[in-house]
Amino acid sequence: MDVPTPDLVCPDTTWAMGRVSSYGWGVWESRLHALFAVQCRYQLEDESAHLDEMPLMMSEEGFENEESDYHTLPRARIMQRKRGLEWFVCDGWKFLCTSCCGWLINICRRKKELKARTVWLGCPEKCEEKHPRNSIKNQKYNVFTFIPGVLYEQFKFFLNLYFLVISCSQFVPALKIGYLYTYWAPLGFVLAVTMTREAIDEFRRFQRDKEVNSQLYSKLTVRGKVQVKSSDIQVGDLIIVEKNQRIPSDMVFLRTSEKAGSCFIRTDQLDGETDWKLKVAVSCTQRLPALGDLFSISAYVYAQKPQMDIHSFEGTFTREDSDPPIHESLSIENTLWASTIVASGTVIGVVIYTGKETRSVMNTSNPKNKVGLLDLELNRLTKALFLALVALSIVMVTLQGFVGPWYRNLFRFLLLFSYIIPISLRVNLDMGKAVYGWMMMKDENIPGTVVRTSTIPEELGRLVYLLTDKTGTLTQNEMIFKRLHLGTVSYGADTMDEIQSHVRDSYSQMQSQAGGNNTGSTPLRKAQSSAPKVRKSVSSRIHEAVKAIVLCHNVTPVYESRAGVTEETEFAEADQDFSDENRTYQASSPDEVALVQWTESVGLTLVSRDLTSMQLKTPSGQVLSFCILQLFPFTSESKRMGVIVRDESTAEITFYMKGADVAMSPIVQYNDWLEEECGNMAREGLRTLVVAKKALTEEQYQDFESRYTQAKLSMHDRSLKVAAVVESLEREMELLCLTGVEDQLQADVRPTLEMLRNAGIKIWMLTGDKLETATCIAKSSHLVSRTQDIHIFRQVTSRGEAHLELNAFRRKHDCALVISGDSLEVCLKYYEHEFVELACQCPAVVCCRCSPTQKARIVTLLQQHTGRRTCAIGDGGNDVSMIQAADCGIGIEGKEGKQASLAADFSITQFRHIGRLLMVHGRNSYKRSAALGQFVMHRGLIISTMQVCHHIHHVPSVLLSAGPGREARDGDALPGAVQGPHQVRQGSADCSTLRCCLMIGAAGDWMCQRSLSTPVSVSGHQVPSPSAQAPAM
C-alpha cells in the first residue's frame, strides 16, 4: 500500500517507507508514529533556528521554484563572511577601538537594571530604590569634558591630526624649516572658531535646560501646598498641574477639577499629534470629598518597569485601609506622560517615573556631532595624499643614496612636500561654509531660515533620502468637511445650504407633530418601526444622517471661563451657558471635530457632553437630551467606533456606528454605490467615513448588556470575547451616508514633492498617525502618484507571518509601501537587511504609528544599508530623535512649538522652502566647496611638483631652510642640494621659481572661477549659477 509522506518527515526516514511492504504496516506503524512525533517536536522547537538559516529569497528565479523559498543566503550574511584584511584596514580597527571603548565605558558606568515599582501616595521616603533626579539635560559636555571632548572630535580626523603633527614638529630644532606662526596660526584659528561655536551652543542648551528644570509646581503635602522646582520632584510626590502647564514627570492621574472625572491633554511634543487626548482619573481617588483626603487613605500604585512604549501601560491601584481592599486596574488612560500639556482643568497625579526613566527621555536619542560627506571624502583623500607624500620622500632620499642622517632628511622632505596637503584647506573651507550659511539666512525667498550648524551646508546638495513627518509638516492638521453622499444624491461645499434648509424643516415639522400629539408619540414610533419599509424622503434621510453624525463620536464641547469667574463657579455657569462665542470642541481625532463643526453649521449643535449623557440644540433652540448607554472606541484593529444612545424624549434606543469602508462594507445592508463612491472620494484625497445605524428594542439591549458585562469580567481572552459580543450587534445595519473630510495641506506641498522626486530624492513619510490617515495624505499630497499601486503591509506578529508577507511584497513592482510601526518592528527584528533592501526599491514608503525611537532607527538603517545621505524634517518634539539621527536635520517652526527647530541643523518656517534650500543653496554650497577643495589641493600639488623638478635639476628649493637665520654647516646633507662643489647655502631663493608658482596658482584660481560660473542642470532644470565666488585664501 502507498503511505502518504507528510511534509514534516525528514529524508533520513524515507528508508522506513520503502520497507513497509516487506515488514508489514502493523510492524512499522507504532515506530513510524513515534518517529513522526519526534520529528514534529524537534521541528517545532527549532523553527526559529531553521528560519535563521532559511532567509528570504531575493531573486525572481527563486519564485519559480515550487519546492522552497529558502534556497539562497541573504547578501548580508555572505558579506559578513568576506571580512578579511581589507575590512580590517578600512573599518576593522575602528570597530575594535569602538568596542573596547564601549566595553570600558560600560564597566565604569554600569546601567542600573530597570524594575517594576510600588509607589505610595505622598510618601517618597517609602521608595525601596533610589530613582534618578527629575532633571532634563541636553548638554553634550560639562566643565571638565568640554575641552578634551572638542579636541577629540577635531583630531579624530586624519586631516586635523596631520596638521597637528606637522605643527608640533617645528618645536624640534633639527626639523624646523620656518616660523612657528606660519603653522600654528591657521590651526589655532580653526580650533578657536570650533571651540567658540561649541561653547555658544553648549551655553544655549544649558540655559534652555535650566529654564525647564527651574519651573515651579505645586506639591501637595500634609501641611498643604508647597512650591517645588521641576528638578526637585521625586517618585511618590503628589503634584498639582494647572491648565496649559507642562507635566514635569510621568504620573498616574488621581484627581481633576472637572466634574466628569476626566481631562484633555496635548501630546504634540510626545507623539506629534495635535489632537487632544482624553484621560480618566482613578475612580477611587476622584470620589474622595476633599483634596486633603489623599493623605488620610493608605494607598499605593504598582507600576511596570520603565519602557519606551508611549501607547501602553500596565499597573494597579490598591487601597489597603478599606474593607475589603480596593483594587483598580490602570491603563494608558490613567497616565499623564512628561512633556505633555494639560488642556482642560487642574489635575493631581502621583509621580511614578522621573528623569531619564520617563517615556519622553527614553524616546529621545543623544545628539551627535555631524560631519559632512565632503569632509569625510577630504579626510580619505588626505590619507591617500599622505601615502603619496611618504612615497615621494622615500624616492628623494633614495636618489641621495641614503647619505648622512637620511632619516632626518626623510622627515624634512615630508615637511617640504607638506604643501600637497595644505593647512589653508581647512581654514578656507570653514570660512566658505560660514559664508554659505549667511547667504541662506539672507535669502528673501525663504524668510525666517536659520542655520544652526554651519559645518554641513553642502550636505543639502547631496541628499538621496528625505524622511518627513506628516502632521504639521505636510499638513496643517485642519480638517474641512467637503462631501456628504446619501447614495442617490451628493452634497458638496456649494450645496450645504440645502442641507441646512432640510434640517430646519425636518425639526420644525417634528416639533409641530409633537405639539399636536404629545401622548401618542412613543406608540406611533413603535408602530412605524414595525411597519413595512417604504422609501424615505430626501429630507428624512438627511435628518437621520446629520443626527447620526452629531451623536456618534467622542467629541466634548469645552466652554472657556469668562474674566472674573472663579474656578468654583466656572462649571456651574458652563452648564447653563450654551452660547456659541465661548464654545470649542475637543477630541482625540480632528476628523470628528470637523464633523461636529459641520453639523453645527447646518443647524444641529452639540452643546454638552459627559461620560453618561449628551445634549443637542436644534435650529429652533430646543435642547434634546440623549443618554449614552455604551461607547465602543475606535481601535486600529476594528477601524470603527460605535455608540448606543437612548433618546430621553421618546425612549428609543439606537446603535450608531461609523468607520472605514473596508470595515463597514460587510456590516451594512446590501447596496450598489458604497464601494464606487469611496473610490471616487479617495482619488480626490478625501478621508471617508461610512455612517450606519440600527434600532434596538429594550429586550435586545438588555440581552446585549448582560452578555457584554459578562465578557468584560472574563479573565481569559477578554478582548476576544468582548469583540464577539459587539459583533453580534453589527449585522444588517442601515447605511445612512458617506462623509468626505479633507486634511488641508501646507502651501505648495505638491509641487515641492514633485520637484524633489524629479531631482532623484526618495521621500519617506514617518508619522505617528493612523494607517488610513497616512495613506490618504500620501495620495492627496501626491507623495504616491495616482498611477502607482499601494501595498498595505498587513499586521504581522511573528517571524513566519513576516516572512510570508515580505515574500508577497517582493512579487510586486513599482508600488508604494504602507506599513505600521508594530509590523515594522517585527520585520526589523528578523529580516532587517531584506526589508530595507525591498523598501529602498519602492518609489515611496509610508510608516504609520511610528514612535520617536522607530523614526530614528529607520534613519540609521538607511544610513547603514545604503551609505547614502539622509535628511529628516519635522516640526514636533517627537521628531527630534529623527532629526538628530539624520545626516542633515531640518526643523519647521509650527503649531507644535520650536523644539524641533531648535534641535535641527537648519530651521525653516514652511515646508515649501525646502525646495529652494536644497536645489539652490545646497547645490551651490556643495559645488563651491568641492571646487575650493580641488583648487587648494591642486595648488599644493603644483608647488610640490615644482619643488621636485627643481631638486632633480639641482636647484635649491624655496622652502628648504633649516631655520630662519641659520646657515648650513660643512658636512650637512641637505635635501634639495647636491654634495660637492655645487653645495649652496640654505635659504637662498630662486625668484623665477617663486614667480612661476604664483603664476600657476593664479591660473588655477581663474580656472576655478570659470568652472563655478558654468550653470549646471538638475533633472533637466537650469539652476542659476551662484553669484558669490569662492572665498579667497
Side-chain angles (χ1 to χ4, degrees), residues 878-905:
N878 65 315
D879 302 319
V880 171
S881 298
M882 174 179 66
I883 289 173
Q884 292 177 343
D887 298 305
C888 180
I890 302 177
I892 299 179
E893 294 185 10
K895 296 180 180 180
E896 301 184 20
K898 296 184 178 181
Q899 190 171 354
S901 64
L902 292 175
D905 305 307

PDB file of all heavy atoms in Angstrom, residues 878-905:
ATOM      1  N   ASN A 878       8.440  65.015  18.965  1.00  0.00           N
ATOM      2  CA  ASN A 878       8.636  63.605  18.650  1.00  0.00           C
ATOM      3  C   ASN A 878       9.538  63.400  17.446  1.00  0.00           C
ATOM      4  O   ASN A 878       9.947  62.272  17.160  1.00  0.00           O
ATOM      5  CB  ASN A 878       7.284  62.944  18.397  1.00  0.00           C
ATOM      6  CG  ASN A 878       6.591  63.496  17.162  1.00  0.00           C
ATOM      7  OD1 ASN A 878       6.543  64.706  16.965  1.00  0.00           O
ATOM      8  ND2 ASN A 878       6.080  62.625  16.321  1.00  0.00           N
ATOM      9  N   ASP A 879       9.843  64.465  16.714  1.00  0.00           N
ATOM     10  CA  ASP A 879      10.723  64.365  15.548  1.00  0.00           C
ATOM     11  C   ASP A 879      12.177  64.670  15.871  1.00  0.00           C
ATOM     12  O   ASP A 879      13.027  64.592  14.985  1.00  0.00           O
ATOM     13  CB  ASP A 879      10.253  65.321  14.448  1.00  0.00           C
ATOM     14  CG  ASP A 879       8.820  65.052  14.020  1.00  0.00           C
ATOM     15  OD1 ASP A 879       8.463  63.869  13.902  1.00  0.00           O
ATOM     16  OD2 ASP A 879       8.061  66.021  13.832  1.00  0.00           O
ATOM     17  N   VAL A 880      12.475  65.024  17.128  1.00  0.00           N
ATOM     18  CA  VAL A 880      13.835  65.433  17.481  1.00  0.00           C
ATOM     19  C   VAL A 880      14.818  64.283  17.286  1.00  0.00           C
ATOM     20  O   VAL A 880      15.916  64.471  16.740  1.00  0.00           O
ATOM     21  CB  VAL A 880      13.869  65.962  18.926  1.00  0.00           C
ATOM     22  CG1 VAL A 880      15.315  66.177  19.389  1.00  0.00           C
ATOM     23  CG2 VAL A 880      13.093  67.261  19.031  1.00  0.00           C
ATOM     24  N   SER A 881      14.459  63.088  17.711  1.00  0.00           N
ATOM     25  CA  SER A 881      15.362  61.942  17.565  1.00  0.00           C
ATOM     26  C   SER A 881      15.669  61.670  16.104  1.00  0.00           C
ATOM     27  O   SER A 881      16.818  61.394  15.738  1.00  0.00           O
ATOM     28  CB  SER A 881      14.741  60.698  18.215  1.00  0.00           C
ATOM     29  OG  SER A 881      14.554  60.898  19.597  1.00  0.00           O
ATOM     30  N   MET A 882      14.664  61.738  15.246  1.00  0.00           N
ATOM     31  CA  MET A 882      14.866  61.523  13.822  1.00  0.00           C
ATOM     32  C   MET A 882      15.739  62.613  13.222  1.00  0.00           C
ATOM     33  O   MET A 882      16.633  62.332  12.408  1.00  0.00           O
ATOM     34  CB  MET A 882      13.504  61.482  13.118  1.00  0.00           C
ATOM     35  CG  MET A 882      13.549  61.401  11.609  1.00  0.00           C
ATOM     36  SD  MET A 882      11.906  61.331  10.856  1.00  0.00           S
ATOM     37  CE  MET A 882      11.262  62.959  11.261  1.00  0.00           C
ATOM     38  N   ILE A 883      15.522  63.849  13.618  1.00  0.00           N
ATOM     39  CA  ILE A 883      16.301  64.973  13.095  1.00  0.00           C
ATOM     40  C   ILE A 883      17.755  64.855  13.506  1.00  0.00           C
ATOM     41  O   ILE A 883      18.674  65.100  12.713  1.00  0.00           O
ATOM     42  CB  ILE A 883      15.682  66.298  13.569  1.00  0.00           C
ATOM     43  CG1 ILE A 883      14.352  66.547  12.860  1.00  0.00           C
ATOM     44  CG2 ILE A 883      16.626  67.468  13.349  1.00  0.00           C
ATOM     45  CD1 ILE A 883      13.593  67.750  13.376  1.00  0.00           C
ATOM     46  N   GLN A 884      18.000  64.467  14.749  1.00  0.00           N
ATOM     47  CA  GLN A 884      19.370  64.350  15.224  1.00  0.00           C
ATOM     48  C   GLN A 884      20.089  63.144  14.641  1.00  0.00           C
ATOM     49  O   GLN A 884      21.314  63.160  14.499  1.00  0.00           O
ATOM     50  CB  GLN A 884      19.379  64.279  16.757  1.00  0.00           C
ATOM     51  CG  GLN A 884      18.947  65.564  17.428  1.00  0.00           C
ATOM     52  CD  GLN A 884      18.897  65.449  18.936  1.00  0.00           C
ATOM     53  OE1 GLN A 884      18.885  64.345  19.484  1.00  0.00           O
ATOM     54  NE2 GLN A 884      18.870  66.570  19.628  1.00  0.00           N
ATOM     55  N   ALA A 885      19.358  62.100  14.291  1.00  0.00           N
ATOM     56  CA  ALA A 885      19.995  60.907  13.727  1.00  0.00           C
ATOM     57  C   ALA A 885      20.342  61.072  12.261  1.00  0.00           C
ATOM     58  O   ALA A 885      21.268  60.405  11.776  1.00  0.00           O
ATOM     59  CB  ALA A 885      19.085  59.693  13.907  1.00  0.00           C
ATOM     60  N   ALA A 886      19.637  61.937  11.551  1.00  0.00           N
ATOM     61  CA  ALA A 886      19.877  62.105  10.121  1.00  0.00           C
ATOM     62  C   ALA A 886      21.172  62.869   9.879  1.00  0.00           C
ATOM     63  O   ALA A 886      21.689  63.578  10.746  1.00  0.00           O
ATOM     64  CB  ALA A 886      18.699  62.834   9.470  1.00  0.00           C
ATOM     65  N   ASP A 887      21.710  62.699   8.656  1.00  0.00           N
ATOM     66  CA  ASP A 887      22.912  63.441   8.282  1.00  0.00           C
ATOM     67  C   ASP A 887      22.648  64.934   8.215  1.00  0.00           C
ATOM     68  O   ASP A 887      23.553  65.740   8.427  1.00  0.00           O
ATOM     69  CB  ASP A 887      23.418  62.948   6.921  1.00  0.00           C
ATOM     70  CG  ASP A 887      23.813  61.487   6.961  1.00  0.00           C
ATOM     71  OD1 ASP A 887      24.648  61.125   7.803  1.00  0.00           O
ATOM     72  OD2 ASP A 887      23.265  60.704   6.170  1.00  0.00           O
ATOM     73  N   CYS A 888      21.400  65.294   7.928  1.00  0.00           N
ATOM     74  CA  CYS A 888      21.018  66.701   7.857  1.00  0.00           C
ATOM     75  C   CYS A 888      19.609  66.816   8.415  1.00  0.00           C
ATOM     76  O   CYS A 888      18.687  66.183   7.892  1.00  0.00           O
ATOM     77  CB  CYS A 888      21.090  67.205   6.414  1.00  0.00           C
ATOM     78  SG  CYS A 888      20.640  68.925   6.221  1.00  0.00           S
ATOM     79  N   GLY A 889      19.437  67.588   9.462  1.00  0.00           N
ATOM     80  CA  GLY A 889      18.135  67.741  10.094  1.00  0.00           C
ATOM     81  C   GLY A 889      17.556  69.120   9.852  1.00  0.00           C
ATOM     82  O   GLY A 889      18.238  70.132  10.009  1.00  0.00           O
ATOM     83  N   ILE A 890      16.279  69.148   9.467  1.00  0.00           N
ATOM     84  CA  ILE A 890      15.581  70.406   9.195  1.00  0.00           C
ATOM     85  C   ILE A 890      14.347  70.467  10.081  1.00  0.00           C
ATOM     86  O   ILE A 890      13.554  69.521  10.115  1.00  0.00           O
ATOM     87  CB  ILE A 890      15.169  70.520   7.710  1.00  0.00           C
ATOM     88  CG1 ILE A 890      16.404  70.417   6.809  1.00  0.00           C
ATOM     89  CG2 ILE A 890      14.428  71.827   7.455  1.00  0.00           C
ATOM     90  CD1 ILE A 890      16.070  70.443   5.327  1.00  0.00           C
ATOM     91  N   GLY A 891      14.197  71.548  10.808  1.00  0.00           N
ATOM     92  CA  GLY A 891      13.059  71.743  11.687  1.00  0.00           C
ATOM     93  C   GLY A 891      12.166  72.859  11.185  1.00  0.00           C
ATOM     94  O   GLY A 891      12.635  73.840  10.594  1.00  0.00           O
ATOM     95  N   ILE A 892      10.859  72.703  11.404  1.00  0.00           N
ATOM     96  CA  ILE A 892       9.875  73.688  10.996  1.00  0.00           C
ATOM     97  C   ILE A 892       9.244  74.293  12.245  1.00  0.00           C
ATOM     98  O   ILE A 892       8.805  73.562  13.142  1.00  0.00           O
ATOM     99  CB  ILE A 892       8.785  73.073  10.101  1.00  0.00           C
ATOM    100  CG1 ILE A 892       9.404  72.505   8.824  1.00  0.00           C
ATOM    101  CG2 ILE A 892       7.712  74.091   9.754  1.00  0.00           C
ATOM    102  CD1 ILE A 892       8.392  71.853   7.905  1.00  0.00           C
ATOM    103  N   GLU A 893       9.202  75.596  12.309  1.00  0.00           N
ATOM    104  CA  GLU A 893       8.532  76.272  13.405  1.00  0.00           C
ATOM    105  C   GLU A 893       7.041  76.312  13.100  1.00  0.00           C
ATOM    106  O   GLU A 893       6.615  76.977  12.168  1.00  0.00           O
ATOM    107  CB  GLU A 893       9.069  77.688  13.579  1.00  0.00           C
ATOM    108  CG  GLU A 893      10.528  77.745  14.017  1.00  0.00           C
ATOM    109  CD  GLU A 893      10.979  79.162  14.291  1.00  0.00           C
ATOM    110  OE1 GLU A 893      10.103  80.045  14.318  1.00  0.00           O
ATOM    111  OE2 GLU A 893      12.187  79.376  14.471  1.00  0.00           O
ATOM    112  N   GLY A 894       6.262  75.575  13.892  1.00  0.00           N
ATOM    113  CA  GLY A 894       4.837  75.489  13.618  1.00  0.00           C
ATOM    114  C   GLY A 894       4.025  75.500  14.887  1.00  0.00           C
ATOM    115  O   GLY A 894       4.438  76.035  15.931  1.00  0.00           O
ATOM    116  N   LYS A 895       2.842  74.872  14.800  1.00  0.00           N
ATOM    117  CA  LYS A 895       1.927  74.851  15.939  1.00  0.00           C
ATOM    118  C   LYS A 895       2.456  74.015  17.091  1.00  0.00           C
ATOM    119  O   LYS A 895       2.045  74.204  18.231  1.00  0.00           O
ATOM    120  CB  LYS A 895       0.567  74.295  15.493  1.00  0.00           C
ATOM    121  CG  LYS A 895      -0.141  75.165  14.457  1.00  0.00           C
ATOM    122  CD  LYS A 895      -1.471  74.553  14.080  1.00  0.00           C
ATOM    123  CE  LYS A 895      -2.191  75.394  13.053  1.00  0.00           C
ATOM    124  NZ  LYS A 895      -3.497  74.805  12.662  1.00  0.00           N
ATOM    125  N   GLU A 896       3.332  73.066  16.803  1.00  0.00           N
ATOM    126  CA  GLU A 896       3.822  72.174  17.838  1.00  0.00           C
ATOM    127  C   GLU A 896       5.022  72.734  18.586  1.00  0.00           C
ATOM    128  O   GLU A 896       5.701  72.015  19.312  1.00  0.00           O
ATOM    129  CB  GLU A 896       4.172  70.819  17.226  1.00  0.00           C
ATOM    130  CG  GLU A 896       2.993  70.149  16.554  1.00  0.00           C
ATOM    131  CD  GLU A 896       3.332  68.771  16.032  1.00  0.00           C
ATOM    132  OE1 GLU A 896       4.312  68.184  16.503  1.00  0.00           O
ATOM    133  OE2 GLU A 896       2.618  68.283  15.153  1.00  0.00           O
ATOM    134  N   GLY A 897       5.321  74.017  18.395  1.00  0.00           N
ATOM    135  CA  GLY A 897       6.400  74.638  19.145  1.00  0.00           C
ATOM    136  C   GLY A 897       7.702  74.694  18.362  1.00  0.00           C
ATOM    137  O   GLY A 897       7.757  74.436  17.163  1.00  0.00           O
ATOM    138  N   LYS A 898       8.772  75.045  19.078  1.00  0.00           N
ATOM    139  CA  LYS A 898      10.078  75.245  18.463  1.00  0.00           C
ATOM    140  C   LYS A 898      11.083  74.167  18.858  1.00  0.00           C
ATOM    141  O   LYS A 898      12.265  74.318  18.609  1.00  0.00           O
ATOM    142  CB  LYS A 898      10.631  76.612  18.860  1.00  0.00           C
ATOM    143  CG  LYS A 898       9.817  77.780  18.356  1.00  0.00           C
ATOM    144  CD  LYS A 898      10.481  79.104  18.711  1.00  0.00           C
ATOM    145  CE  LYS A 898       9.702  80.277  18.162  1.00  0.00           C
ATOM    146  NZ  LYS A 898      10.358  81.568  18.474  1.00  0.00           N
ATOM    147  N   GLN A 899      10.622  73.093  19.492  1.00  0.00           N
ATOM    148  CA  GLN A 899      11.556  72.083  19.958  1.00  0.00           C
ATOM    149  C   GLN A 899      12.299  71.430  18.797  1.00  0.00           C
ATOM    150  O   GLN A 899      13.501  71.189  18.871  1.00  0.00           O
ATOM    151  CB  GLN A 899      10.813  71.023  20.775  1.00  0.00           C
ATOM    152  CG  GLN A 899      11.735  70.056  21.514  1.00  0.00           C
ATOM    153  CD  GLN A 899      10.973  69.177  22.467  1.00  0.00           C
ATOM    154  OE1 GLN A 899       9.779  69.349  22.673  1.00  0.00           O
ATOM    155  NE2 GLN A 899      11.657  68.224  23.067  1.00  0.00           N
ATOM    156  N   ALA A 900      11.604  71.141  17.711  1.00  0.00           N
ATOM    157  CA  ALA A 900      12.251  70.515  16.557  1.00  0.00           C
ATOM    158  C   ALA A 900      13.190  71.492  15.868  1.00  0.00           C
ATOM    159  O   ALA A 900      14.295  71.123  15.460  1.00  0.00           O
ATOM    160  CB  ALA A 900      11.198  69.999  15.571  1.00  0.00           C
ATOM    161  N   SER A 901      12.767  72.733  15.720  1.00  0.00           N
ATOM    162  CA  SER A 901      13.612  73.714  15.032  1.00  0.00           C
ATOM    163  C   SER A 901      14.869  74.029  15.822  1.00  0.00           C
ATOM    164  O   SER A 901      15.924  74.295  15.242  1.00  0.00           O
ATOM    165  CB  SER A 901      12.820  74.992  14.774  1.00  0.00           C
ATOM    166  OG  SER A 901      12.443  75.605  15.999  1.00  0.00           O
ATOM    167  N   LEU A 902      14.782  74.004  17.156  1.00  0.00           N
ATOM    168  CA  LEU A 902      15.965  74.273  17.973  1.00  0.00           C
ATOM    169  C   LEU A 902      16.963  73.124  17.927  1.00  0.00           C
ATOM    170  O   LEU A 902      18.164  73.336  18.064  1.00  0.00           O
ATOM    171  CB  LEU A 902      15.550  74.545  19.421  1.00  0.00           C
ATOM    172  CG  LEU A 902      14.764  75.844  19.674  1.00  0.00           C
ATOM    173  CD1 LEU A 902      14.322  75.925  21.123  1.00  0.00           C
ATOM    174  CD2 LEU A 902      15.593  77.058  19.304  1.00  0.00           C
ATOM    175  N   ALA A 903      16.480  71.898  17.747  1.00  0.00           N
ATOM    176  CA  ALA A 903      17.365  70.738  17.702  1.00  0.00           C
ATOM    177  C   ALA A 903      17.890  70.446  16.303  1.00  0.00           C
ATOM    178  O   ALA A 903      18.768  69.594  16.147  1.00  0.00           O
ATOM    179  CB  ALA A 903      16.647  69.503  18.243  1.00  0.00           C
ATOM    180  N   ALA A 904      17.378  71.146  15.289  1.00  0.00           N
ATOM    181  CA  ALA A 904      17.733  70.849  13.901  1.00  0.00           C
ATOM    182  C   ALA A 904      18.982  71.615  13.489  1.00  0.00           C
ATOM    183  O   ALA A 904      19.421  72.568  14.156  1.00  0.00           O
ATOM    184  CB  ALA A 904      16.566  71.188  12.973  1.00  0.00           C
ATOM    185  N   ASP A 905      19.552  71.195  12.372  1.00  0.00           N
ATOM    186  CA  ASP A 905      20.697  71.899  11.790  1.00  0.00           C
ATOM    187  C   ASP A 905      20.260  73.130  11.014  1.00  0.00           C
ATOM    188  O   ASP A 905      20.994  74.116  10.949  1.00  0.00           O
ATOM    189  CB  ASP A 905      21.472  70.949  10.863  1.00  0.00           C
ATOM    190  CG  ASP A 905      21.881  69.676  11.568  1.00  0.00           C
ATOM    191  OD1 ASP A 905      22.508  69.769  12.633  1.00  0.00           O
ATOM    192  OD2 ASP A 905      21.551  68.588  11.066  1.00  0.00           O
TER     193      ASP A 905
END
